[in-house]
Amino acid sequence: MAKKKRVRPYHSLEEIQMRKEQLSEVIELEDEEIKRLWTQLMEKDEEASPAEQIGKYIKYGMMAYDGFMTLRKLKRNYGSFLNIFKK
């Protein structure tokens, strides 16, 4: 059962407005943090040498192969992808 959040009682419109401003500041700070992390994640490696790029592609290929083999083994053991999540 989900927990119910406690709602702080508000007694005036000023309290509501103050809480709204606090929440908008928090949302703005979190939005800036998400944007910073997203740009850091999507940043291209301009300085990567050809050997590093080839190594990166080999690593991605091995990860894809590993994922494929894991799914294949799960399908073989459970018979169907739908049976994987059944008890």
Side-chain angles (χ1 to χ4, degrees), residues 40 42-49 52-53 56 60:
Q40 182 181 359
M42 292 296 144
E43 193 173 78
K44 290 188 178 182
D45 293 334
E46 300 284 333
E47 302 170 5
S49 69
E52 290 173 341
Q53 290 177 353
K56 181 174 68 171
Y60 290 154

Side-chain angles (χ1 to χ4, degrees), residues 20-45:
K20 180 181 172 184
E21 290 170 2
Q22 288 174 348
L23 288 175
S24 64
E25 289 175 6
V26 169
I27 290 171
E28 188 175 323
L29 289 173
E30 289 177 352
D31 184 49
E32 289 173 7
E33 180 69 14
I34 290 171
K35 285 179 184 177
R36 185 186 63 77
L37 291 173
W38 184 256
T39 55
Q40 182 181 359
L41 179 67
M42 292 296 144
E43 193 173 78
K44 290 188 178 182
D45 293 334

Side-chain angles (χ1 to χ4, degrees), residues 12-24:
S12 68
L13 290 175
E14 290 81 21
E15 290 178 5
I16 294 173
Q17 184 65 28
M18 187 173 21
R19 180 67 178 150
K20 180 181 172 184
E21 290 170 2
Q22 288 174 348
L23 288 175
S24 64

